[in-house]
């Protein structure tokens, strides 16, 4: 498992894949990332400390992901993130959070008030039926502006059965309207029953990717390890 990498394109930053107690929601039908977790805070901290020890501060920005939400990291890890960023002169930290924690975002910003926080939401799609009936994301709101409130960035998941080029473009455009940045992830084969759809993947690669590949506000991961972390 690679837990540290450097992203050099679009918005250059370092990235660490840390380990927490596990996703508190854990009902998304497509996701098995929560398997990268442990209930043992001491063991998690040891893993996280090693990854954070590799941070150099080269770009002044650090993205922290942990196969769940920032709120599932142990307290010592959160303190180490702060001290590492302070020591390495990192001014901006990117965290991820599930929608169910949206009422805690402001408090998190206060804890990290010496840094600029960019909070990313895994929305996957604005298509409500696909998002809630198939992907089971647990985001009951439909209004994009309400969903985006408190968040700065968004993850989208494409390459699913029923998705079209027009629908994916609509998602990205709504994302760019309501968030500072978006990250597009193409569905990859995993242990869940949700599988990538070749027709939808092809539609993305031929009709959507060429439009946004050079957009500085859109990260695109064809493989889920394209940021250099994971396995």
């Amino acid at each position: 498992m690679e837990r540290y990498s450097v992203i050099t394109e679009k918005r250059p930053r370092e990235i660490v894949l840390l380990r927490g107690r596990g996703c508190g929601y854990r009902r998304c039908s497509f996701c098995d990332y929560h398997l990268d977790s442990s209930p043992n805070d001491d063991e998690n901290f040891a893993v996280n400390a090693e990854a954070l020890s590799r941070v150099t501060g080269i770009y002044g920005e650090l993205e922290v992901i942990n196969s769940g939400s920032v709120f599932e990291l142990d307290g010592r890890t959160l303190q180490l993130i702060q001290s590492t960023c302070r020591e390495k002169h990192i001014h901006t930290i990117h965290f991820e959070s599930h929608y169910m924690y949206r009422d805690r975002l402001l408090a998190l910003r206060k804890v990290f008030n010496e840094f600029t926080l960019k909070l990313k939401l895994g929305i996957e799609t604005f298509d409500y039926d696909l998002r809630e009936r198939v992907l089971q994301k647990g985001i009951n709101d439909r209004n994009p502006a309400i969903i985006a409130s408190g968040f700065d960035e968004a993850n989208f998941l494409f390459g699913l059965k029923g998705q079209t080029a027009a629908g994916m473009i609509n998602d990205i455009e709504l994302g760019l309207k309501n968030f500072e940045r978006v990250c597009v992830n193409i569905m990859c084969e995993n242990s869940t029953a949700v599988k990538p759809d070749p027709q939808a993947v092809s539609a993305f690669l031929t009709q959507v990717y060429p439009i946004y590949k050079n957009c500085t506000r859109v990260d695109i991961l064809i493989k889920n390890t394209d940021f250099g972390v994971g396995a």
Side-chain angles (χ1 to χ4, degrees):
M1 180 74 77
E2 181 56 61
R3 296 192 178 274
Y4 170 83
S5 184
V6 180
I7 301 168
T8 59
E9 298 181 352
K10 296 190 176 180
R11 185 162 188 166
R13 58 200 183 276
E14 293 172 274
I15 183 170
V16 287
L17 170 59
L18 304 186
R19 196 174 73 184
R21 302 181 185 111
C23 175
Y25 180 71
R26 204 172 298 194
R27 292 192 289 278
C28 298
S29 62
F30 62 93
C31 182
D32 62 1
Y33 295 153
H34 58 79
L35 298 175
D36 181 36
S37 62
S38 170
N40 189 311
D41 283 352
D42 291 334
E43 293 179 0
N44 288 337
F45 179 74
V47 169
N48 299 340
E50 195 284 326
L52 288 165
S53 72
R54 301 171 67 183
V55 172
T56 68
I58 182 173
Y59 293 121
E61 294 201 29
L62 176 67
E63 181 161 355
V64 177
I65 59 176
N66 60 287
S67 303
S69 300
V70 58
F71 300 102
E72 291 136 15
L73 293 172
D74 66 274
R76 281 191 297 165
T77 290
L78 291 174
Q79 291 175 357
L80 184 58
I81 292 170
Q82 288 180 302
S83 61
T84 298
C85 290
R86 194 178 297 120
E87 177 186 344
K88 302 299 181 179
H89 305 290
I90 290 171
H91 51 76
T92 302
I93 307 173
H94 303 251
F95 286 129
E96 292 186 342
S97 174
H98 188 275
Y99 196 63
M100 69 179 184
Y101 292 118
R102 61 193 181 281
D103 292 337
R104 297 176 61 180
L105 301 180
L106 182 58
L108 181 69
R109 292 186 190 275
K110 290 180 179 179
V111 170
F112 282 81
N113 63 356
E114 63 189 286
F115 307 98
T116 297
L117 287 198
K118 300 297 182 182
L119 302 179
K120 182 183 289 186
L121 170 68
I123 186 173
E124 320 311 343
T125 178
F126 284 109
D127 180 334
Y128 184 87
D129 287 341
L130 175 59
R131 188 181 72 226
E132 301 309 322
R133 295 181 183 178
V134 178
L135 302 181
Q136 300 175 23
K137 280 297 301 184
I139 302 175
N140 292 324
D141 290 302
R142 295 174 182 264
N143 186 316
I146 292 176
I147 293 172
S149 180
F151 293 94
D152 307 288
E153 305 173 344
N155 277 327
F156 289 92
L157 183 65
F158 294 160
L160 302 168
K161 186 175 178 61
Q163 286 183 314
T164 65
M168 290 182 276
I169 290 172
N170 183 64
D171 271 341
I172 294 174
E173 290 300 318
L174 280 173
L176 292 174
K177 180 180 179 181
N178 290 279
F179 297 92
E180 295 177 12
R181 296 179 59 80
V182 302
C183 181
V184 171
N185 302 270
I186 301 304
M187 182 69 196
C188 296
E189 187 86 17
N190 61 25
S191 64
T192 71
V194 177
K195 304 301 179 185
D197 178 70
Q199 185 173 346
V201 173
S202 177
F204 175 81
L205 293 175
T206 59
Q207 301 177 59
V208 184
Y209 178 72
I211 300 174
Y212 298 102
K213 65 179 181 179
N214 295 320
C215 179
T216 58
R217 294 175 60 202
V218 180
D219 290 315
I220 300 174
L221 281 69
I222 305 300
K223 297 180 180 178
N224 54 18
T225 55
D226 281 349
F227 273 162
V229 293

mmCIF file of all heavy atoms in Angstrom, residues 153-199:
data_model
loop_
_atom_site.group_PDB
_atom_site.id
_atom_site.type_symbol
_atom_site.label_atom_id
_atom_site.label_comp_id
_atom_site.label_asym_id
_atom_site.label_seq_id
_atom_site.Cartn_x
_atom_site.Cartn_y
_atom_site.Cartn_z
ATOM 1 N N GLU A 153 -14.803 21.342 -2.491
ATOM 2 C CA GLU A 153 -14.463 20.467 -3.613
ATOM 3 C C GLU A 153 -15.389 19.264 -3.617
ATOM 4 O O GLU A 153 -16.051 18.972 -2.610
ATOM 5 C CB GLU A 153 -12.999 20.010 -3.500
ATOM 6 C CG GLU A 153 -12.016 21.166 -3.400
ATOM 7 C CD GLU A 153 -10.587 20.736 -3.115
ATOM 8 O OE1 GLU A 153 -10.377 19.575 -2.696
ATOM 9 O OE2 GLU A 153 -9.679 21.567 -3.306
ATOM 10 N N ALA A 154 -15.432 18.551 -4.753
ATOM 11 C CA ALA A 154 -16.336 17.406 -4.855
ATOM 12 C C ALA A 154 -15.698 16.278 -5.661
ATOM 13 O O ALA A 154 -14.970 16.515 -6.633
ATOM 14 C CB ALA A 154 -17.654 17.815 -5.508
ATOM 15 N N ASN A 155 -15.998 15.054 -5.257
ATOM 16 C CA ASN A 155 -15.638 13.853 -6.009
ATOM 17 C C ASN A 155 -16.837 13.370 -6.811
ATOM 18 O O ASN A 155 -17.966 13.330 -6.290
ATOM 19 C CB ASN A 155 -15.220 12.723 -5.061
ATOM 20 C CG ASN A 155 -13.783 12.823 -4.630
ATOM 21 O OD1 ASN A 155 -12.916 13.281 -5.382
ATOM 22 N ND2 ASN A 155 -13.496 12.387 -3.413
ATOM 23 N N PHE A 156 -16.600 12.983 -8.064
ATOM 24 C CA PHE A 156 -17.638 12.379 -8.888
ATOM 25 C C PHE A 156 -17.193 10.985 -9.315
ATOM 26 O O PHE A 156 -15.996 10.725 -9.468
ATOM 27 C CB PHE A 156 -17.916 13.239 -10.126
ATOM 28 C CG PHE A 156 -18.632 14.525 -9.811
ATOM 29 C CD1 PHE A 156 -17.927 15.692 -9.567
ATOM 30 C CD2 PHE A 156 -20.013 14.561 -9.739
ATOM 31 C CE1 PHE A 156 -18.584 16.874 -9.259
ATOM 32 C CE2 PHE A 156 -20.682 15.735 -9.429
ATOM 33 C CZ PHE A 156 -19.964 16.897 -9.192
ATOM 34 N N LEU A 157 -18.168 10.104 -9.520
ATOM 35 C CA LEU A 157 -17.889 8.733 -9.947
ATOM 36 C C LEU A 157 -18.593 8.480 -11.273
ATOM 37 O O LEU A 157 -19.823 8.533 -11.358
ATOM 38 C CB LEU A 157 -18.382 7.740 -8.891
ATOM 39 C CG LEU A 157 -18.089 6.268 -9.181
ATOM 40 C CD1 LEU A 157 -16.576 6.005 -9.187
ATOM 41 C CD2 LEU A 157 -18.773 5.365 -8.153
ATOM 42 N N PHE A 158 -17.814 8.212 -12.301
ATOM 43 C CA PHE A 158 -18.356 7.968 -13.634
ATOM 44 C C PHE A 158 -17.980 6.569 -14.119
ATOM 45 O O PHE A 158 -17.119 5.906 -13.550
ATOM 46 C CB PHE A 158 -17.826 9.006 -14.629
ATOM 47 C CG PHE A 158 -18.296 10.412 -14.366
ATOM 48 C CD1 PHE A 158 -17.597 11.495 -14.890
ATOM 49 C CD2 PHE A 158 -19.428 10.677 -13.595
ATOM 50 C CE1 PHE A 158 -18.014 12.797 -14.662
ATOM 51 C CE2 PHE A 158 -19.854 11.977 -13.359
ATOM 52 C CZ PHE A 158 -19.138 13.043 -13.902
ATOM 53 N N GLY A 159 -18.661 6.152 -15.198
ATOM 54 C CA GLY A 159 -18.422 4.823 -15.752
ATOM 55 C C GLY A 159 -19.391 3.790 -15.232
ATOM 56 O O GLY A 159 -19.091 2.598 -15.199
ATOM 57 N N LEU A 160 -20.591 4.262 -14.820
ATOM 58 C CA LEU A 160 -21.607 3.375 -14.257
ATOM 59 C C LEU A 160 -22.726 3.138 -15.261
ATOM 60 O O LEU A 160 -23.011 3.985 -16.113
ATOM 61 C CB LEU A 160 -22.189 4.001 -12.984
ATOM 62 C CG LEU A 160 -21.188 4.314 -11.873
ATOM 63 C CD1 LEU A 160 -21.835 5.177 -10.810
ATOM 64 C CD2 LEU A 160 -20.645 3.029 -11.259
ATOM 65 N N LYS A 161 -23.360 2.007 -15.148
ATOM 66 C CA LYS A 161 -24.455 1.654 -16.050
ATOM 67 C C LYS A 161 -25.535 2.725 -16.014
ATOM 68 O O LYS A 161 -25.974 3.146 -14.951
ATOM 69 C CB LYS A 161 -25.045 0.306 -15.655
ATOM 70 C CG LYS A 161 -26.106 -0.221 -16.629
ATOM 71 C CD LYS A 161 -26.556 -1.613 -16.233
ATOM 72 C CE LYS A 161 -27.641 -2.119 -17.169
ATOM 73 N NZ LYS A 161 -27.192 -2.212 -18.575
ATOM 74 N N GLY A 162 -25.948 3.170 -17.203
ATOM 75 C CA GLY A 162 -26.986 4.184 -17.310
ATOM 76 C C GLY A 162 -26.452 5.585 -17.466
ATOM 77 O O GLY A 162 -27.201 6.496 -17.856
ATOM 78 N N GLN A 163 -25.176 5.812 -17.159
ATOM 79 C CA GLN A 163 -24.614 7.140 -17.314
ATOM 80 C C GLN A 163 -24.330 7.429 -18.797
ATOM 81 O O GLN A 163 -23.878 6.554 -19.537
ATOM 82 C CB GLN A 163 -23.326 7.307 -16.503
ATOM 83 C CG GLN A 163 -23.576 7.436 -15.004
ATOM 84 C CD GLN A 163 -22.294 7.666 -14.225
ATOM 85 O OE1 GLN A 163 -21.281 6.987 -14.443
ATOM 86 N NE2 GLN A 163 -22.323 8.610 -13.294
ATOM 87 N N THR A 164 -24.594 8.657 -19.198
ATOM 88 C CA THR A 164 -24.351 9.102 -20.570
ATOM 89 C C THR A 164 -23.350 10.241 -20.574
ATOM 90 O O THR A 164 -23.098 10.864 -19.536
ATOM 91 C CB THR A 164 -25.651 9.579 -21.233
ATOM 92 O OG1 THR A 164 -26.118 10.747 -20.525
ATOM 93 C CG2 THR A 164 -26.724 8.499 -21.189
ATOM 94 N N ALA A 165 -22.814 10.535 -21.755
ATOM 95 C CA ALA A 165 -21.886 11.655 -21.871
ATOM 96 C C ALA A 165 -22.553 12.949 -21.435
ATOM 97 O O ALA A 165 -21.962 13.755 -20.702
ATOM 98 C CB ALA A 165 -21.378 11.764 -23.304
ATOM 99 N N ALA A 166 -23.803 13.169 -21.859
ATOM 100 C CA ALA A 166 -24.524 14.389 -21.497
ATOM 101 C C ALA A 166 -24.711 14.494 -19.994
ATOM 102 O O ALA A 166 -24.553 15.570 -19.401
ATOM 103 C CB ALA A 166 -25.875 14.433 -22.203
ATOM 104 N N GLY A 167 -25.035 13.376 -19.356
ATOM 105 C CA GLY A 167 -25.227 13.384 -17.907
ATOM 106 C C GLY A 167 -23.941 13.653 -17.159
ATOM 107 O O GLY A 167 -23.926 14.392 -16.154
ATOM 108 N N MET A 168 -22.844 13.088 -17.626
ATOM 109 C CA MET A 168 -21.558 13.305 -16.968
ATOM 110 C C MET A 168 -21.096 14.750 -17.143
ATOM 111 O O MET A 168 -20.553 15.361 -16.210
ATOM 112 C CB MET A 168 -20.523 12.308 -17.493
ATOM 113 C CG MET A 168 -20.800 10.879 -17.039
ATOM 114 S SD MET A 168 -19.560 9.658 -17.577
ATOM 115 C CE MET A 168 -20.149 9.259 -19.234
ATOM 116 N N ILE A 169 -21.304 15.306 -18.331
ATOM 117 C CA ILE A 169 -20.969 16.710 -18.554
ATOM 118 C C ILE A 169 -21.807 17.608 -17.654
ATOM 119 O O ILE A 169 -21.299 18.573 -17.059
ATOM 120 C CB ILE A 169 -21.176 17.077 -20.037
ATOM 121 C CG1 ILE A 169 -20.104 16.391 -20.898
ATOM 122 C CG2 ILE A 169 -21.138 18.598 -20.231
ATOM 123 C CD1 ILE A 169 -20.337 16.529 -22.385
ATOM 124 N N ASN A 170 -23.087 17.280 -17.508
ATOM 125 C CA ASN A 170 -23.956 18.059 -16.628
ATOM 126 C C ASN A 170 -23.459 18.015 -15.187
ATOM 127 O O ASN A 170 -23.460 19.042 -14.490
ATOM 128 C CB ASN A 170 -25.386 17.530 -16.703
ATOM 129 C CG ASN A 170 -26.353 18.354 -15.869
ATOM 130 O OD1 ASN A 170 -26.576 19.528 -16.128
ATOM 131 N ND2 ASN A 170 -26.937 17.726 -14.848
ATOM 132 N N ASP A 171 -23.021 16.842 -14.735
ATOM 133 C CA ASP A 171 -22.472 16.723 -13.382
ATOM 134 C C ASP A 171 -21.253 17.628 -13.207
ATOM 135 O O ASP A 171 -21.127 18.352 -12.205
ATOM 136 C CB ASP A 171 -22.079 15.269 -13.100
ATOM 137 C CG ASP A 171 -23.217 14.454 -12.518
ATOM 138 O OD1 ASP A 171 -24.176 15.044 -11.995
ATOM 139 O OD2 ASP A 171 -23.139 13.213 -12.588
ATOM 140 N N ILE A 172 -20.340 17.573 -14.159
ATOM 141 C CA ILE A 172 -19.121 18.372 -14.051
ATOM 142 C C ILE A 172 -19.445 19.859 -14.052
ATOM 143 O O ILE A 172 -18.902 20.639 -13.254
ATOM 144 C CB ILE A 172 -18.141 18.028 -15.182
ATOM 145 C CG1 ILE A 172 -17.635 16.591 -15.019
ATOM 146 C CG2 ILE A 172 -16.957 19.003 -15.181
ATOM 147 C CD1 ILE A 172 -16.764 16.102 -16.159
ATOM 148 N N GLU A 173 -20.353 20.268 -14.936
ATOM 149 C CA GLU A 173 -20.693 21.685 -15.008
ATOM 150 C C GLU A 173 -21.371 22.160 -13.724
ATOM 151 O O GLU A 173 -21.087 23.257 -13.224
ATOM 152 C CB GLU A 173 -21.583 21.947 -16.224
ATOM 153 C CG GLU A 173 -20.855 21.812 -17.556
ATOM 154 C CD GLU A 173 -19.686 22.782 -17.676
ATOM 155 O OE1 GLU A 173 -19.839 23.957 -17.284
ATOM 156 O OE2 GLU A 173 -18.607 22.352 -18.147
ATOM 157 N N LEU A 174 -22.267 21.357 -13.174
ATOM 158 C CA LEU A 174 -22.874 21.710 -11.897
ATOM 159 C C LEU A 174 -21.823 21.733 -10.795
ATOM 160 O O LEU A 174 -21.860 22.575 -9.886
ATOM 161 C CB LEU A 174 -23.986 20.723 -11.540
ATOM 162 C CG LEU A 174 -25.339 20.931 -12.216
ATOM 163 C CD1 LEU A 174 -26.280 19.775 -11.895
ATOM 164 C CD2 LEU A 174 -25.966 22.258 -11.776
ATOM 165 N N GLY A 175 -20.880 20.801 -10.870
ATOM 166 C CA GLY A 175 -19.802 20.777 -9.896
ATOM 167 C C GLY A 175 -18.957 22.036 -9.947
ATOM 168 O O GLY A 175 -18.642 22.631 -8.927
ATOM 169 N N LEU A 176 -18.600 22.456 -11.158
ATOM 170 C CA LEU A 176 -17.784 23.655 -11.311
ATOM 171 C C LEU A 176 -18.546 24.915 -10.909
ATOM 172 O O LEU A 176 -17.938 25.902 -10.478
ATOM 173 C CB LEU A 176 -17.302 23.776 -12.755
ATOM 174 C CG LEU A 176 -16.296 22.702 -13.194
ATOM 175 C CD1 LEU A 176 -16.000 22.828 -14.677
ATOM 176 C CD2 LEU A 176 -15.006 22.792 -12.378
ATOM 177 N N LYS A 177 -19.854 24.883 -11.036
ATOM 178 C CA LYS A 177 -20.670 26.027 -10.637
ATOM 179 C C LYS A 177 -20.766 26.144 -9.114
ATOM 180 O O LYS A 177 -20.825 27.256 -8.573
ATOM 181 C CB LYS A 177 -22.070 25.904 -11.235
ATOM 182 C CG LYS A 177 -23.013 27.044 -10.872
ATOM 183 C CD LYS A 177 -24.384 26.864 -11.503
ATOM 184 C CE LYS A 177 -25.331 27.994 -11.111
ATOM 185 N NZ LYS A 177 -26.693 27.814 -11.718
ATOM 186 N N ASN A 178 -20.781 25.022 -8.427
ATOM 187 C CA ASN A 178 -21.051 25.029 -6.984
ATOM 188 C C ASN A 178 -19.835 24.744 -6.108
ATOM 189 O O ASN A 178 -19.903 24.945 -4.896
ATOM 190 C CB ASN A 178 -22.148 24.002 -6.673
ATOM 191 C CG ASN A 178 -23.504 24.428 -7.201
ATOM 192 O OD1 ASN A 178 -24.195 25.219 -6.573
ATOM 193 N ND2 ASN A 178 -23.888 23.918 -8.375
ATOM 194 N N PHE A 179 -18.744 24.271 -6.707
ATOM 195 C CA PHE A 179 -17.519 23.969 -5.958
ATOM 196 C C PHE A 179 -16.331 24.651 -6.632
ATOM 197 O O PHE A 179 -16.366 24.975 -7.814
ATOM 198 C CB PHE A 179 -17.259 22.458 -5.912
ATOM 199 C CG PHE A 179 -18.317 21.654 -5.210
ATOM 200 C CD1 PHE A 179 -19.372 21.112 -5.935
ATOM 201 C CD2 PHE A 179 -18.256 21.428 -3.845
ATOM 202 C CE1 PHE A 179 -20.359 20.358 -5.292
ATOM 203 C CE2 PHE A 179 -19.227 20.677 -3.201
ATOM 204 C CZ PHE A 179 -20.286 20.144 -3.927
ATOM 205 N N GLU A 180 -15.254 24.824 -5.879
ATOM 206 C CA GLU A 180 -14.037 25.398 -6.448
ATOM 207 C C GLU A 180 -13.370 24.436 -7.421
ATOM 208 O O GLU A 180 -12.828 24.850 -8.448
ATOM 209 C CB GLU A 180 -13.048 25.753 -5.327
ATOM 210 C CG GLU A 180 -13.521 26.847 -4.391
ATOM 211 C CD GLU A 180 -12.524 27.092 -3.273
ATOM 212 O OE1 GLU A 180 -11.379 26.582 -3.361
ATOM 213 O OE2 GLU A 180 -12.873 27.785 -2.299
ATOM 214 N N ARG A 181 -13.370 23.158 -7.070
ATOM 215 C CA ARG A 181 -12.716 22.135 -7.880
ATOM 216 C C ARG A 181 -13.531 20.851 -7.837
ATOM 217 O O ARG A 181 -14.287 20.615 -6.878
ATOM 218 C CB ARG A 181 -11.308 21.816 -7.359
ATOM 219 C CG ARG A 181 -10.308 22.937 -7.421
ATOM 220 C CD ARG A 181 -8.963 22.492 -6.863
ATOM 221 N NE ARG A 181 -8.427 21.345 -7.591
ATOM 222 C CZ ARG A 181 -7.805 21.430 -8.764
ATOM 223 N NH1 ARG A 181 -7.645 22.611 -9.345
ATOM 224 N NH2 ARG A 181 -7.327 20.360 -9.349
ATOM 225 N N VAL A 182 -13.346 20.013 -8.857
ATOM 226 C CA VAL A 182 -13.970 18.690 -8.852
ATOM 227 C C VAL A 182 -12.916 17.652 -9.222
ATOM 228 O O VAL A 182 -11.945 17.950 -9.925
ATOM 229 C CB VAL A 182 -15.174 18.597 -9.810
ATOM 230 C CG1 VAL A 182 -16.232 19.622 -9.452
ATOM 231 C CG2 VAL A 182 -14.745 18.749 -11.260
ATOM 232 N N CYS A 183 -13.140 16.455 -8.734
ATOM 233 C CA CYS A 183 -12.271 15.321 -9.055
ATOM 234 C C CYS A 183 -13.149 14.216 -9.629
ATOM 235 O O CYS A 183 -14.084 13.747 -8.966
ATOM 236 C CB CYS A 183 -11.536 14.831 -7.809
ATOM 237 S SG CYS A 183 -10.420 13.444 -8.125
ATOM 238 N N VAL A 184 -12.861 13.810 -10.851
ATOM 239 C CA VAL A 184 -13.627 12.762 -11.530
ATOM 240 C C VAL A 184 -12.898 11.437 -11.364
ATOM 241 O O VAL A 184 -11.713 11.318 -11.690
ATOM 242 C CB VAL A 184 -13.789 13.093 -13.020
ATOM 243 C CG1 VAL A 184 -14.388 11.905 -13.766
ATOM 244 C CG2 VAL A 184 -14.661 14.327 -13.199
ATOM 245 N N ASN A 185 -13.602 10.450 -10.846
ATOM 246 C CA ASN A 185 -13.062 9.106 -10.684
ATOM 247 C C ASN A 185 -13.816 8.156 -11.603
ATOM 248 O O ASN A 185 -15.056 8.150 -11.611
ATOM 249 C CB ASN A 185 -13.223 8.628 -9.237
ATOM 250 C CG ASN A 185 -12.538 9.545 -8.242
ATOM 251 O OD1 ASN A 185 -11.378 9.356 -7.916
ATOM 252 N ND2 ASN A 185 -13.258 10.544 -7.757
ATOM 253 N N ILE A 186 -13.110 7.356 -12.370
ATOM 254 C CA ILE A 186 -13.744 6.348 -13.198
ATOM 255 C C ILE A 186 -13.878 5.066 -12.380
ATOM 256 O O ILE A 186 -12.922 4.625 -11.739
ATOM 257 C CB ILE A 186 -12.934 6.084 -14.477
ATOM 258 C CG1 ILE A 186 -12.793 7.377 -15.286
ATOM 259 C CG2 ILE A 186 -13.601 5.011 -15.333
ATOM 260 C CD1 ILE A 186 -14.100 8.044 -15.643
ATOM 261 N N MET A 187 -15.068 4.489 -12.386
ATOM 262 C CA MET A 187 -15.331 3.276 -11.607
ATOM 263 C C MET A 187 -14.374 2.161 -12.017
ATOM 264 O O MET A 187 -14.242 1.845 -13.204
ATOM 265 C CB MET A 187 -16.782 2.826 -11.816
ATOM 266 C CG MET A 187 -17.168 1.587 -11.013
ATOM 267 S SD MET A 187 -17.236 1.923 -9.233
ATOM 268 C CE MET A 187 -17.227 0.251 -8.567
ATOM 269 N N CYS A 188 -13.702 1.618 -11.035
ATOM 270 C CA CYS A 188 -12.790 0.497 -11.259
ATOM 271 C C CYS A 188 -13.350 -0.762 -10.584
ATOM 272 O O CYS A 188 -14.067 -0.672 -9.573
ATOM 273 C CB CYS A 188 -11.405 0.815 -10.700
ATOM 274 S SG CYS A 188 -10.585 2.200 -11.519
ATOM 275 N N GLU A 189 -13.017 -1.888 -11.120
ATOM 276 C CA GLU A 189 -13.467 -3.169 -10.558
ATOM 277 C C GLU A 189 -12.997 -3.292 -9.116
ATOM 278 O O GLU A 189 -11.835 -3.044 -8.785
ATOM 279 C CB GLU A 189 -12.886 -4.320 -11.375
ATOM 280 C CG GLU A 189 -13.415 -5.691 -11.003
ATOM 281 C CD GLU A 189 -14.707 -6.054 -11.725
ATOM 282 O OE1 GLU A 189 -15.023 -5.410 -12.744
ATOM 283 O OE2 GLU A 189 -15.380 -7.003 -11.272
ATOM 284 N N ASN A 190 -13.922 -3.666 -8.222
ATOM 285 C CA ASN A 190 -13.546 -3.937 -6.838
ATOM 286 C C ASN A 190 -14.389 -5.090 -6.307
ATOM 287 O O ASN A 190 -14.986 -5.834 -7.083
ATOM 288 C CB ASN A 190 -13.657 -2.669 -5.977
ATOM 289 C CG ASN A 190 -15.069 -2.101 -5.914
ATOM 290 O OD1 ASN A 190 -16.063 -2.818 -6.105
ATOM 291 N ND2 ASN A 190 -15.182 -0.814 -5.624
ATOM 292 N N SER A 191 -14.470 -5.225 -4.994
ATOM 293 C CA SER A 191 -15.142 -6.396 -4.412
ATOM 294 C C SER A 191 -16.655 -6.215 -4.281
ATOM 295 O O SER A 191 -17.342 -7.136 -3.843
ATOM 296 C CB SER A 191 -14.543 -6.696 -3.034
ATOM 297 O OG SER A 191 -14.785 -5.619 -2.140
ATOM 298 N N THR A 192 -17.187 -5.045 -4.649
ATOM 299 C CA THR A 192 -18.624 -4.806 -4.513
ATOM 300 C C THR A 192 -19.374 -5.324 -5.741
ATOM 301 O O THR A 192 -18.784 -5.687 -6.760
ATOM 302 C CB THR A 192 -18.929 -3.307 -4.337
ATOM 303 O OG1 THR A 192 -18.698 -2.630 -5.577
ATOM 304 C CG2 THR A 192 -18.055 -2.706 -3.246
ATOM 305 N N ALA A 193 -20.703 -5.304 -5.642
ATOM 306 C CA ALA A 193 -21.544 -5.757 -6.752
ATOM 307 C C ALA A 193 -21.665 -4.708 -7.856
ATOM 308 O O ALA A 193 -22.145 -5.006 -8.957
ATOM 309 C CB ALA A 193 -22.934 -6.126 -6.236
ATOM 310 N N VAL A 194 -21.259 -3.482 -7.579
ATOM 311 C CA VAL A 194 -21.311 -2.415 -8.584
ATOM 312 C C VAL A 194 -20.065 -2.512 -9.460
ATOM 313 O O VAL A 194 -18.944 -2.456 -8.953
ATOM 314 C CB VAL A 194 -21.398 -1.034 -7.921
ATOM 315 C CG1 VAL A 194 -21.380 0.068 -8.975
ATOM 316 C CG2 VAL A 194 -22.660 -0.933 -7.069
ATOM 317 N N LYS A 195 -20.280 -2.658 -10.750
ATOM 318 C CA LYS A 195 -19.177 -2.854 -11.680
ATOM 319 C C LYS A 195 -19.118 -1.716 -12.699
ATOM 320 O O LYS A 195 -20.134 -1.101 -13.009
ATOM 321 C CB LYS A 195 -19.337 -4.187 -12.419
ATOM 322 C CG LYS A 195 -19.448 -5.395 -11.506
ATOM 323 C CD LYS A 195 -18.224 -5.554 -10.605
ATOM 324 C CE LYS A 195 -18.355 -6.748 -9.665
ATOM 325 N NZ LYS A 195 -17.209 -6.822 -8.705
ATOM 326 N N PRO A 196 -17.930 -1.450 -13.241
ATOM 327 C CA PRO A 196 -17.839 -0.447 -14.299
ATOM 328 C C PRO A 196 -18.597 -0.910 -15.534
ATOM 329 O O PRO A 196 -18.630 -2.105 -15.839
ATOM 330 C CB PRO A 196 -16.337 -0.340 -14.556
ATOM 331 C CG PRO A 196 -15.731 -1.584 -13.991
ATOM 332 C CD PRO A 196 -16.623 -2.009 -12.865
ATOM 333 N N ASP A 197 -19.212 0.036 -16.223
ATOM 334 C CA ASP A 197 -19.957 -0.264 -17.445
ATOM 335 C C ASP A 197 -19.111 0.171 -18.642
ATOM 336 O O ASP A 197 -18.825 1.370 -18.791
ATOM 337 C CB ASP A 197 -21.293 0.463 -17.437
ATOM 338 C CG ASP A 197 -22.080 0.224 -18.707
ATOM 339 O OD1 ASP A 197 -22.545 -0.911 -18.902
ATOM 340 O OD2 ASP A 197 -22.218 1.176 -19.507
ATOM 341 N N PRO A 198 -18.707 -0.752 -19.501
ATOM 342 C CA PRO A 198 -17.818 -0.399 -20.618
ATOM 343 C C PRO A 198 -18.384 0.701 -21.509
ATOM 344 O O PRO A 198 -17.626 1.559 -21.995
ATOM 345 C CB PRO A 198 -17.682 -1.723 -21.384
ATOM 346 C CG PRO A 198 -17.940 -2.784 -20.361
ATOM 347 C CD PRO A 198 -18.977 -2.200 -19.445
ATOM 348 N N GLN A 199 -19.701 0.704 -21.727
ATOM 349 C CA GLN A 199 -20.301 1.724 -22.586
ATOM 350 C C GLN A 199 -20.181 3.105 -21.960
ATOM 351 O O GLN A 199 -19.858 4.083 -22.642
ATOM 352 C CB GLN A 199 -21.768 1.378 -22.852
ATOM 353 C CG GLN A 199 -22.448 2.315 -23.834
ATOM 354 C CD GLN A 199 -23.856 1.850 -24.205
ATOM 355 O OE1 GLN A 199 -24.240 0.719 -23.933
ATOM 356 N NE2 GLN A 199 -24.622 2.743 -24.810
#
